[in-house]
Amino acid sequence: MKDLGLLFLRISSAILMMTHGLPKFQKLISGNFEFGDPIGIGAAPSLFLAVLGEFIFPILVIIGFKTRWATVPTIITMLVAALIVHGADPFSVKEKAVLFLVAFISILMLGPGKYSLDKK
């Protein structure tokens, strides 16, 4: 039952994250690099990193490949979203980022379970 719970957590969290990352991915591949620059590295690199954290690495989490490592970019992205992008906003605004942060930290700590390519 624990492994089914981990599978559910991995797949549901990553799919929900990808709904935020897909528009950014589409923006990136269309060549539109207009994006915020929350950590001062430029709009295009910020967009690229957001796409990695919100779209590319969640795919690895879904299939359970290098799962613990794959959560790290998403965790960093959600830390930036919660603490920098929405840092001055009320909690109700940053709540989604915090919930994703909690979910992906849980996956990092618990691992992928046996229903994954990692099989742990």
Side-chain angles (χ1 to χ4, degrees), residues 1-10 13 61 64 66-69 71 75 101-116 118-120:
M1 193 59 106
K2 173 187 143 193
D3 290 304
L4 284 174
L6 289 171
L7 177 67
F8 179 75
L9 177 64
R10 271 191 7 250
S13 298
V61 171
K66 302 292 182 191
T67 308
R68 285 188 159 128
W69 285 106
T71 63
I75 290 168
L101 182 61
V102 168
F104 281 87
I105 288 174
S106 297
I107 295 166
L108 172 69
M109 292 170 55
L110 296 169
K114 73 178 182 179
Y115 302 115
S116 68
D118 292 341
K119 293 181 183 147
K120 293 187 182 190

PDB file of all heavy atoms in Angstrom, residues 1-10 13 61 64 66-69 71 75 101-116 118-120:
ATOM      1  N   MET A   1       0.823  -1.198   0.000  1.00  0.00           N
ATOM      2  CA  MET A   1       0.000   0.000   0.000  1.00  0.00           C
ATOM      3  C   MET A   1       0.869   1.265   0.000  1.00  0.00           C
ATOM      4  O   MET A   1       0.530   2.232  -0.666  1.00  0.00           O
ATOM      5  CB  MET A   1      -0.923  -0.027   1.221  1.00  0.00           C
ATOM      6  CG  MET A   1      -2.008   0.996   1.143  1.00  0.00           C
ATOM      7  SD  MET A   1      -3.070   0.843  -0.285  1.00  0.00           S
ATOM      8  CE  MET A   1      -4.523   0.183   0.423  1.00  0.00           C
ATOM      9  N   LYS A   2       1.986   1.226   0.726  1.00  0.00           N
ATOM     10  CA  LYS A   2       2.895   2.376   0.763  1.00  0.00           C
ATOM     11  C   LYS A   2       3.389   2.719  -0.636  1.00  0.00           C
ATOM     12  O   LYS A   2       3.441   3.892  -1.020  1.00  0.00           O
ATOM     13  CB  LYS A   2       4.083   2.083   1.685  1.00  0.00           C
ATOM     14  CG  LYS A   2       5.167   3.129   1.657  1.00  0.00           C
ATOM     15  CD  LYS A   2       6.377   2.691   2.458  1.00  0.00           C
ATOM     16  CE  LYS A   2       7.621   3.162   1.748  1.00  0.00           C
ATOM     17  NZ  LYS A   2       8.833   2.588   2.230  1.00  0.00           N
ATOM     18  N   ASP A   3       3.736   1.701  -1.412  1.00  0.00           N
ATOM     19  CA  ASP A   3       4.254   1.947  -2.752  1.00  0.00           C
ATOM     20  C   ASP A   3       3.191   2.512  -3.683  1.00  0.00           C
ATOM     21  O   ASP A   3       3.503   3.333  -4.550  1.00  0.00           O
ATOM     22  CB  ASP A   3       4.858   0.659  -3.327  1.00  0.00           C
ATOM     23  CG  ASP A   3       6.142   0.279  -2.618  1.00  0.00           C
ATOM     24  OD1 ASP A   3       7.061   1.113  -2.585  1.00  0.00           O
ATOM     25  OD2 ASP A   3       6.219  -0.836  -2.069  1.00  0.00           O
ATOM     26  N   LEU A   4       1.947   2.107  -3.507  1.00  0.00           N
ATOM     27  CA  LEU A   4       0.861   2.704  -4.297  1.00  0.00           C
ATOM     28  C   LEU A   4       0.660   4.173  -3.915  1.00  0.00           C
ATOM     29  O   LEU A   4       0.398   5.014  -4.782  1.00  0.00           O
ATOM     30  CB  LEU A   4      -0.441   1.927  -4.105  1.00  0.00           C
ATOM     31  CG  LEU A   4      -0.534   0.594  -4.841  1.00  0.00           C
ATOM     32  CD1 LEU A   4      -1.809  -0.141  -4.449  1.00  0.00           C
ATOM     33  CD2 LEU A   4      -0.463   0.793  -6.340  1.00  0.00           C
ATOM     34  N   GLY A   5       0.806   4.461  -2.637  1.00  0.00           N
ATOM     35  CA  GLY A   5       0.710   5.846  -2.177  1.00  0.00           C
ATOM     36  C   GLY A   5       1.817   6.708  -2.757  1.00  0.00           C
ATOM     37  O   GLY A   5       1.574   7.850  -3.178  1.00  0.00           O
ATOM     38  N   LEU A   6       3.026   6.166  -2.794  1.00  0.00           N
ATOM     39  CA  LEU A   6       4.138   6.909  -3.392  1.00  0.00           C
ATOM     40  C   LEU A   6       3.923   7.117  -4.889  1.00  0.00           C
ATOM     41  O   LEU A   6       4.215   8.192  -5.417  1.00  0.00           O
ATOM     42  CB  LEU A   6       5.459   6.171  -3.151  1.00  0.00           C
ATOM     43  CG  LEU A   6       5.972   6.191  -1.714  1.00  0.00           C
ATOM     44  CD1 LEU A   6       7.157   5.235  -1.567  1.00  0.00           C
ATOM     45  CD2 LEU A   6       6.365   7.592  -1.309  1.00  0.00           C
ATOM     46  N   LEU A   7       3.411   6.093  -5.556  1.00  0.00           N
ATOM     47  CA  LEU A   7       3.105   6.213  -6.982  1.00  0.00           C
ATOM     48  C   LEU A   7       2.073   7.317  -7.209  1.00  0.00           C
ATOM     49  O   LEU A   7       2.233   8.166  -8.091  1.00  0.00           O
ATOM     50  CB  LEU A   7       2.590   4.880  -7.530  1.00  0.00           C
ATOM     51  CG  LEU A   7       2.150   4.859  -8.995  1.00  0.00           C
ATOM     52  CD1 LEU A   7       3.341   5.076  -9.918  1.00  0.00           C
ATOM     53  CD2 LEU A   7       1.461   3.534  -9.310  1.00  0.00           C
ATOM     54  N   PHE A   8       1.012   7.302  -6.407  1.00  0.00           N
ATOM     55  CA  PHE A   8      -0.026   8.329  -6.521  1.00  0.00           C
ATOM     56  C   PHE A   8       0.544   9.723  -6.258  1.00  0.00           C
ATOM     57  O   PHE A   8       0.262  10.667  -7.002  1.00  0.00           O
ATOM     58  CB  PHE A   8      -1.173   8.028  -5.543  1.00  0.00           C
ATOM     59  CG  PHE A   8      -2.261   9.052  -5.578  1.00  0.00           C
ATOM     60  CD1 PHE A   8      -3.165   9.085  -6.634  1.00  0.00           C
ATOM     61  CD2 PHE A   8      -2.380   9.994  -4.573  1.00  0.00           C
ATOM     62  CE1 PHE A   8      -4.176  10.049  -6.676  1.00  0.00           C
ATOM     63  CE2 PHE A   8      -3.378  10.956  -4.614  1.00  0.00           C
ATOM     64  CZ  PHE A   8      -4.273  10.984  -5.666  1.00  0.00           C
ATOM     65  N   LEU A   9       1.346   9.864  -5.213  1.00  0.00           N
ATOM     66  CA  LEU A   9       1.958  11.150  -4.887  1.00  0.00           C
ATOM     67  C   LEU A   9       2.848  11.633  -6.024  1.00  0.00           C
ATOM     68  O   LEU A   9       2.771  12.791  -6.436  1.00  0.00           O
ATOM     69  CB  LEU A   9       2.762  11.045  -3.587  1.00  0.00           C
ATOM     70  CG  LEU A   9       3.513  12.303  -3.148  1.00  0.00           C
ATOM     71  CD1 LEU A   9       2.535  13.429  -2.831  1.00  0.00           C
ATOM     72  CD2 LEU A   9       4.399  11.994  -1.949  1.00  0.00           C
ATOM     73  N   ARG A  10       3.687  10.747  -6.540  1.00  0.00           N
ATOM     74  CA  ARG A  10       4.599  11.106  -7.635  1.00  0.00           C
ATOM     75  C   ARG A  10       3.839  11.563  -8.870  1.00  0.00           C
ATOM     76  O   ARG A  10       4.103  12.629  -9.422  1.00  0.00           O
ATOM     77  CB  ARG A  10       5.465   9.902  -8.038  1.00  0.00           C
ATOM     78  CG  ARG A  10       6.738   9.751  -7.313  1.00  0.00           C
ATOM     79  CD  ARG A  10       7.688   8.722  -7.919  1.00  0.00           C
ATOM     80  NE  ARG A  10       7.324   8.147  -9.186  1.00  0.00           N
ATOM     81  CZ  ARG A  10       6.934   6.870  -9.361  1.00  0.00           C
ATOM     82  NH1 ARG A  10       6.849   6.045  -8.344  1.00  0.00           N
ATOM     83  NH2 ARG A  10       6.636   6.425 -10.564  1.00  0.00           N
ATOM     84  N   SER A  13       1.335  14.793  -8.237  1.00  0.00           N
ATOM     85  CA  SER A  13       2.088  16.036  -8.017  1.00  0.00           C
ATOM     86  C   SER A  13       2.789  16.487  -9.290  1.00  0.00           C
ATOM     87  O   SER A  13       2.780  17.678  -9.634  1.00  0.00           O
ATOM     88  CB  SER A  13       3.119  15.856  -6.908  1.00  0.00           C
ATOM     89  OG  SER A  13       2.496  15.543  -5.695  1.00  0.00           O
ATOM     90  N   VAL A  61      10.007  12.360 -12.705  1.00  0.00           N
ATOM     91  CA  VAL A  61       9.359  11.976 -11.449  1.00  0.00           C
ATOM     92  C   VAL A  61       8.182  11.036 -11.742  1.00  0.00           C
ATOM     93  O   VAL A  61       7.990  10.031 -11.047  1.00  0.00           O
ATOM     94  CB  VAL A  61       8.902  13.221 -10.651  1.00  0.00           C
ATOM     95  CG1 VAL A  61       8.043  12.826  -9.458  1.00  0.00           C
ATOM     96  CG2 VAL A  61      10.117  14.021 -10.185  1.00  0.00           C
ATOM     97  N   GLY A  64       9.516   7.747 -12.560  1.00  0.00           N
ATOM     98  CA  GLY A  64      10.339   7.227 -11.477  1.00  0.00           C
ATOM     99  C   GLY A  64      11.771   6.966 -11.896  1.00  0.00           C
ATOM    100  O   GLY A  64      12.371   5.985 -11.482  1.00  0.00           O
ATOM    101  N   LYS A  66      15.588   8.295 -11.705  1.00  0.00           N
ATOM    102  CA  LYS A  66      16.438   9.215 -10.931  1.00  0.00           C
ATOM    103  C   LYS A  66      15.552  10.162 -10.118  1.00  0.00           C
ATOM    104  O   LYS A  66      15.770  11.371 -10.052  1.00  0.00           O
ATOM    105  CB  LYS A  66      17.384  10.002 -11.842  1.00  0.00           C
ATOM    106  CG  LYS A  66      18.294   9.148 -12.691  1.00  0.00           C
ATOM    107  CD  LYS A  66      19.302   8.428 -11.836  1.00  0.00           C
ATOM    108  CE  LYS A  66      20.242   7.606 -12.715  1.00  0.00           C
ATOM    109  NZ  LYS A  66      21.052   6.705 -11.943  1.00  0.00           N
ATOM    110  N   THR A  67      14.561   9.587  -9.494  1.00  0.00           N
ATOM    111  CA  THR A  67      13.470  10.346  -8.890  1.00  0.00           C
ATOM    112  C   THR A  67      13.943  11.358  -7.857  1.00  0.00           C
ATOM    113  O   THR A  67      13.531  12.517  -7.895  1.00  0.00           O
ATOM    114  CB  THR A  67      12.450   9.385  -8.245  1.00  0.00           C
ATOM    115  OG1 THR A  67      12.087   8.410  -9.218  1.00  0.00           O
ATOM    116  CG2 THR A  67      11.229  10.121  -7.771  1.00  0.00           C
ATOM    117  N   ARG A  68      14.773  10.925  -6.940  1.00  0.00           N
ATOM    118  CA  ARG A  68      15.205  11.863  -5.894  1.00  0.00           C
ATOM    119  C   ARG A  68      15.943  13.046  -6.503  1.00  0.00           C
ATOM    120  O   ARG A  68      15.712  14.192  -6.122  1.00  0.00           O
ATOM    121  CB  ARG A  68      16.049  11.139  -4.854  1.00  0.00           C
ATOM    122  CG  ARG A  68      15.205  10.285  -3.937  1.00  0.00           C
ATOM    123  CD  ARG A  68      16.030   9.736  -2.796  1.00  0.00           C
ATOM    124  NE  ARG A  68      15.161   9.362  -1.706  1.00  0.00           N
ATOM    125  CZ  ARG A  68      15.171   8.171  -1.121  1.00  0.00           C
ATOM    126  NH1 ARG A  68      16.006   7.237  -1.520  1.00  0.00           N
ATOM    127  NH2 ARG A  68      14.352   7.920  -0.135  1.00  0.00           N
ATOM    128  N   TRP A  69      16.838  12.788  -7.432  1.00  0.00           N
ATOM    129  CA  TRP A  69      17.575  13.874  -8.098  1.00  0.00           C
ATOM    130  C   TRP A  69      16.625  14.743  -8.920  1.00  0.00           C
ATOM    131  O   TRP A  69      16.803  15.955  -8.994  1.00  0.00           O
ATOM    132  CB  TRP A  69      18.689  13.326  -8.984  1.00  0.00           C
ATOM    133  CG  TRP A  69      19.862  12.839  -8.199  1.00  0.00           C
ATOM    134  CD1 TRP A  69      20.205  11.540  -7.982  1.00  0.00           C
ATOM    135  CD2 TRP A  69      20.813  13.634  -7.490  1.00  0.00           C
ATOM    136  NE1 TRP A  69      21.327  11.485  -7.190  1.00  0.00           N
ATOM    137  CE2 TRP A  69      21.726  12.758  -6.875  1.00  0.00           C
ATOM    138  CE3 TRP A  69      20.986  15.004  -7.318  1.00  0.00           C
ATOM    139  CZ2 TRP A  69      22.793  13.194  -6.103  1.00  0.00           C
ATOM    140  CZ3 TRP A  69      22.053  15.446  -6.555  1.00  0.00           C
ATOM    141  CH2 TRP A  69      22.940  14.550  -5.951  1.00  0.00           C
ATOM    142  N   THR A  71      13.648  15.589  -8.322  1.00  0.00           N
ATOM    143  CA  THR A  71      12.838  16.508  -7.516  1.00  0.00           C
ATOM    144  C   THR A  71      13.578  17.801  -7.184  1.00  0.00           C
ATOM    145  O   THR A  71      12.937  18.827  -6.938  1.00  0.00           O
ATOM    146  CB  THR A  71      12.387  15.856  -6.190  1.00  0.00           C
ATOM    147  OG1 THR A  71      13.528  15.541  -5.401  1.00  0.00           O
ATOM    148  CG2 THR A  71      11.523  14.633  -6.422  1.00  0.00           C
ATOM    149  N   ILE A  75      12.019  21.520  -6.546  1.00  0.00           N
ATOM    150  CA  ILE A  75      12.079  22.084  -5.191  1.00  0.00           C
ATOM    151  C   ILE A  75      12.692  23.486  -5.230  1.00  0.00           C
ATOM    152  O   ILE A  75      12.161  24.423  -4.628  1.00  0.00           O
ATOM    153  CB  ILE A  75      12.863  21.144  -4.243  1.00  0.00           C
ATOM    154  CG1 ILE A  75      12.047  19.880  -3.972  1.00  0.00           C
ATOM    155  CG2 ILE A  75      13.238  21.861  -2.957  1.00  0.00           C
ATOM    156  CD1 ILE A  75      12.837  18.763  -3.294  1.00  0.00           C
ATOM    157  N   LEU A 101       6.033  22.486  -3.027  1.00  0.00           N
ATOM    158  CA  LEU A 101       7.302  22.326  -2.307  1.00  0.00           C
ATOM    159  C   LEU A 101       7.217  21.173  -1.312  1.00  0.00           C
ATOM    160  O   LEU A 101       8.098  20.305  -1.281  1.00  0.00           O
ATOM    161  CB  LEU A 101       7.650  23.636  -1.599  1.00  0.00           C
ATOM    162  CG  LEU A 101       8.954  23.692  -0.825  1.00  0.00           C
ATOM    163  CD1 LEU A 101      10.151  23.460  -1.738  1.00  0.00           C
ATOM    164  CD2 LEU A 101       9.071  25.046  -0.127  1.00  0.00           C
ATOM    165  N   VAL A 102       6.146  21.131  -0.547  1.00  0.00           N
ATOM    166  CA  VAL A 102       5.949  20.053   0.428  1.00  0.00           C
ATOM    167  C   VAL A 102       5.864  18.692  -0.275  1.00  0.00           C
ATOM    168  O   VAL A 102       6.485  17.715   0.150  1.00  0.00           O
ATOM    169  CB  VAL A 102       4.684  20.317   1.284  1.00  0.00           C
ATOM    170  CG1 VAL A 102       4.279  19.094   2.085  1.00  0.00           C
ATOM    171  CG2 VAL A 102       4.908  21.510   2.204  1.00  0.00           C
ATOM    172  N   ALA A 103       5.117  18.622  -1.361  1.00  0.00           N
ATOM    173  CA  ALA A 103       4.956  17.354  -2.081  1.00  0.00           C
ATOM    174  C   ALA A 103       6.291  16.861  -2.633  1.00  0.00           C
ATOM    175  O   ALA A 103       6.643  15.679  -2.479  1.00  0.00           O
ATOM    176  CB  ALA A 103       3.944  17.515  -3.211  1.00  0.00           C
ATOM    177  N   PHE A 104       7.056  17.739  -3.268  1.00  0.00           N
ATOM    178  CA  PHE A 104       8.303  17.299  -3.888  1.00  0.00           C
ATOM    179  C   PHE A 104       9.400  17.031  -2.852  1.00  0.00           C
ATOM    180  O   PHE A 104      10.236  16.155  -3.059  1.00  0.00           O
ATOM    181  CB  PHE A 104       8.741  18.277  -4.986  1.00  0.00           C
ATOM    182  CG  PHE A 104       7.974  18.056  -6.262  1.00  0.00           C
ATOM    183  CD1 PHE A 104       6.756  18.676  -6.482  1.00  0.00           C
ATOM    184  CD2 PHE A 104       8.446  17.194  -7.228  1.00  0.00           C
ATOM    185  CE1 PHE A 104       6.027  18.451  -7.634  1.00  0.00           C
ATOM    186  CE2 PHE A 104       7.737  16.946  -8.393  1.00  0.00           C
ATOM    187  CZ  PHE A 104       6.521  17.575  -8.596  1.00  0.00           C
ATOM    188  N   ILE A 105       9.381  17.730  -1.732  1.00  0.00           N
ATOM    189  CA  ILE A 105      10.309  17.388  -0.642  1.00  0.00           C
ATOM    190  C   ILE A 105       9.940  16.013  -0.082  1.00  0.00           C
ATOM    191  O   ILE A 105      10.822  15.207   0.232  1.00  0.00           O
ATOM    192  CB  ILE A 105      10.323  18.473   0.456  1.00  0.00           C
ATOM    193  CG1 ILE A 105      11.036  19.723  -0.058  1.00  0.00           C
ATOM    194  CG2 ILE A 105      11.000  17.956   1.723  1.00  0.00           C
ATOM    195  CD1 ILE A 105      10.973  20.910   0.892  1.00  0.00           C
ATOM    196  N   SER A 106       8.650  15.722   0.019  1.00  0.00           N
ATOM    197  CA  SER A 106       8.217  14.398   0.487  1.00  0.00           C
ATOM    198  C   SER A 106       8.697  13.302  -0.457  1.00  0.00           C
ATOM    199  O   SER A 106       9.180  12.255  -0.015  1.00  0.00           O
ATOM    200  CB  SER A 106       6.685  14.347   0.600  1.00  0.00           C
ATOM    201  OG  SER A 106       6.237  15.268   1.559  1.00  0.00           O
ATOM    202  N   ILE A 107       8.592  13.528  -1.756  1.00  0.00           N
ATOM    203  CA  ILE A 107       9.071  12.546  -2.729  1.00  0.00           C
ATOM    204  C   ILE A 107      10.583  12.384  -2.610  1.00  0.00           C
ATOM    205  O   ILE A 107      11.100  11.265  -2.659  1.00  0.00           O
ATOM    206  CB  ILE A 107       8.668  12.958  -4.164  1.00  0.00           C
ATOM    207  CG1 ILE A 107       7.141  12.940  -4.306  1.00  0.00           C
ATOM    208  CG2 ILE A 107       9.317  12.042  -5.200  1.00  0.00           C
ATOM    209  CD1 ILE A 107       6.619  13.644  -5.556  1.00  0.00           C
ATOM    210  N   LEU A 108      11.295  13.489  -2.431  1.00  0.00           N
ATOM    211  CA  LEU A 108      12.750  13.427  -2.232  1.00  0.00           C
ATOM    212  C   LEU A 108      13.093  12.564  -1.023  1.00  0.00           C
ATOM    213  O   LEU A 108      13.965  11.694  -1.089  1.00  0.00           O
ATOM    214  CB  LEU A 108      13.323  14.830  -2.052  1.00  0.00           C
ATOM    215  CG  LEU A 108      14.791  14.929  -1.654  1.00  0.00           C
ATOM    216  CD1 LEU A 108      15.696  14.475  -2.785  1.00  0.00           C
ATOM    217  CD2 LEU A 108      15.132  16.346  -1.231  1.00  0.00           C
ATOM    218  N   MET A 109      12.390  12.770   0.073  1.00  0.00           N
ATOM    219  CA  MET A 109      12.697  12.049   1.311  1.00  0.00           C
ATOM    220  C   MET A 109      12.273  10.582   1.254  1.00  0.00           C
ATOM    221  O   MET A 109      12.988   9.717   1.760  1.00  0.00           O
ATOM    222  CB  MET A 109      12.007  12.751   2.495  1.00  0.00           C
ATOM    223  CG  MET A 109      12.601  14.115   2.780  1.00  0.00           C
ATOM    224  SD  MET A 109      11.649  15.104   3.957  1.00  0.00           S
ATOM    225  CE  MET A 109      11.549  14.037   5.345  1.00  0.00           C
ATOM    226  N   LEU A 110      11.125  10.292   0.641  1.00  0.00           N
ATOM    227  CA  LEU A 110      10.576   8.939   0.642  1.00  0.00           C
ATOM    228  C   LEU A 110      11.080   8.074  -0.506  1.00  0.00           C
ATOM    229  O   LEU A 110      11.021   6.849  -0.432  1.00  0.00           O
ATOM    230  CB  LEU A 110       9.045   8.992   0.603  1.00  0.00           C
ATOM    231  CG  LEU A 110       8.385   9.641   1.816  1.00  0.00           C
ATOM    232  CD1 LEU A 110       6.910   9.882   1.547  1.00  0.00           C
ATOM    233  CD2 LEU A 110       8.589   8.773   3.041  1.00  0.00           C
ATOM    234  N   GLY A 111      11.522   8.697  -1.578  1.00  0.00           N
ATOM    235  CA  GLY A 111      11.951   7.944  -2.745  1.00  0.00           C
ATOM    236  C   GLY A 111      10.765   7.579  -3.615  1.00  0.00           C
ATOM    237  O   GLY A 111       9.617   7.893  -3.300  1.00  0.00           O
ATOM    238  N   PRO A 112      11.023   6.880  -4.710  1.00  0.00           N
ATOM    239  CA  PRO A 112       9.984   6.625  -5.697  1.00  0.00           C
ATOM    240  C   PRO A 112       9.070   5.447  -5.389  1.00  0.00           C
ATOM    241  O   PRO A 112       7.990   5.341  -5.946  1.00  0.00           O
ATOM    242  CB  PRO A 112      10.781   6.345  -6.960  1.00  0.00           C
ATOM    243  CG  PRO A 112      12.038   5.716  -6.454  1.00  0.00           C
ATOM    244  CD  PRO A 112      12.331   6.431  -5.171  1.00  0.00           C
ATOM    245  N   GLY A 113       9.490   4.540  -4.541  1.00  0.00           N
ATOM    246  CA  GLY A 113       8.715   3.325  -4.317  1.00  0.00           C
ATOM    247  C   GLY A 113       9.030   2.285  -5.373  1.00  0.00           C
ATOM    248  O   GLY A 113       9.800   2.517  -6.296  1.00  0.00           O
ATOM    249  N   LYS A 114       8.401   1.119  -5.251  1.00  0.00           N
ATOM    250  CA  LYS A 114       8.759   0.016  -6.150  1.00  0.00           C
ATOM    251  C   LYS A 114       8.128   0.137  -7.535  1.00  0.00           C
ATOM    252  O   LYS A 114       8.571  -0.513  -8.463  1.00  0.00           O
ATOM    253  CB  LYS A 114       8.424  -1.332  -5.519  1.00  0.00           C
ATOM    254  CG  LYS A 114       6.963  -1.680  -5.448  1.00  0.00           C
ATOM    255  CD  LYS A 114       6.783  -3.071  -4.846  1.00  0.00           C
ATOM    256  CE  LYS A 114       5.343  -3.482  -4.805  1.00  0.00           C
ATOM    257  NZ  LYS A 114       5.161  -4.809  -4.259  1.00  0.00           N
ATOM    258  N   TYR A 115       7.101   0.974  -7.682  1.00  0.00           N
ATOM    259  CA  TYR A 115       6.471   1.159  -8.984  1.00  0.00           C
ATOM    260  C   TYR A 115       7.134   2.322  -9.719  1.00  0.00           C
ATOM    261  O   TYR A 115       6.532   3.364  -9.962  1.00  0.00           O
ATOM    262  CB  TYR A 115       4.966   1.393  -8.847  1.00  0.00           C
ATOM    263  CG  TYR A 115       4.279   0.261  -8.137  1.00  0.00           C
ATOM    264  CD1 TYR A 115       3.683   0.436  -6.906  1.00  0.00           C
ATOM    265  CD2 TYR A 115       4.254  -1.013  -8.707  1.00  0.00           C
ATOM    266  CE1 TYR A 115       3.051  -0.615  -6.241  1.00  0.00           C
ATOM    267  CE2 TYR A 115       3.634  -2.077  -8.051  1.00  0.00           C
ATOM    268  CZ  TYR A 115       3.040  -1.859  -6.825  1.00  0.00           C
ATOM    269  OH  TYR A 115       2.419  -2.900  -6.181  1.00  0.00           O
ATOM    270  N   SER A 116       8.386   2.122 -10.061  1.00  0.00           N
ATOM    271  CA  SER A 116       9.168   3.169 -10.741  1.00  0.00           C
ATOM    272  C   SER A 116      10.317   2.489 -11.478  1.00  0.00           C
ATOM    273  O   SER A 116      10.606   1.317 -11.251  1.00  0.00           O
ATOM    274  CB  SER A 116       9.727   4.143  -9.709  1.00  0.00           C
ATOM    275  OG  SER A 116      10.715   3.498  -8.920  1.00  0.00           O
ATOM    276  N   ASP A 118      13.277   3.356 -10.927  1.00  0.00           N
ATOM    277  CA  ASP A 118      14.300   3.233  -9.880  1.00  0.00           C
ATOM    278  C   ASP A 118      14.077   1.997  -9.013  1.00  0.00           C
ATOM    279  O   ASP A 118      15.019   1.450  -8.470  1.00  0.00           O
ATOM    280  CB  ASP A 118      14.297   4.468  -8.971  1.00  0.00           C
ATOM    281  CG  ASP A 118      14.765   5.729  -9.661  1.00  0.00           C
ATOM    282  OD1 ASP A 118      15.440   5.639 -10.717  1.00  0.00           O
ATOM    283  OD2 ASP A 118      14.456   6.818  -9.162  1.00  0.00           O
ATOM    284  N   LYS A 119      12.822   1.575  -8.839  1.00  0.00           N
ATOM    285  CA  LYS A 119      12.418   0.398  -8.056  1.00  0.00           C
ATOM    286  C   LYS A 119      13.056   0.318  -6.668  1.00  0.00           C
ATOM    287  O   LYS A 119      13.708  -0.650  -6.331  1.00  0.00           O
ATOM    288  CB  LYS A 119      12.706  -0.887  -8.837  1.00  0.00           C
ATOM    289  CG  LYS A 119      11.848  -1.008 -10.051  1.00  0.00           C
ATOM    290  CD  LYS A 119      12.109  -2.281 -10.797  1.00  0.00           C
ATOM    291  CE  LYS A 119      11.238  -2.263 -12.027  1.00  0.00           C
ATOM    292  NZ  LYS A 119      11.775  -2.885 -13.154  1.00  0.00           N
ATOM    293  N   LYS A 120      12.842   1.359  -5.874  1.00  0.00           N
ATOM    294  CA  LYS A 120      13.364   1.344  -4.508  1.00  0.00           C
ATOM    295  C   LYS A 120      12.258   1.601  -3.539  1.00  0.00           C
ATOM    296  O   LYS A 120      11.320   2.247  -3.778  1.00  0.00           O
ATOM    297  CB  LYS A 120      14.472   2.371  -4.352  1.00  0.00           C
ATOM    298  CG  LYS A 120      15.684   1.993  -5.158  1.00  0.00           C
ATOM    299  CD  LYS A 120      16.824   2.912  -4.875  1.00  0.00           C
ATOM    300  CE  LYS A 120      17.976   2.506  -5.746  1.00  0.00           C
ATOM    301  NZ  LYS A 120      19.189   3.089  -5.493  1.00  0.00           N
TER     302      LYS A 120
END
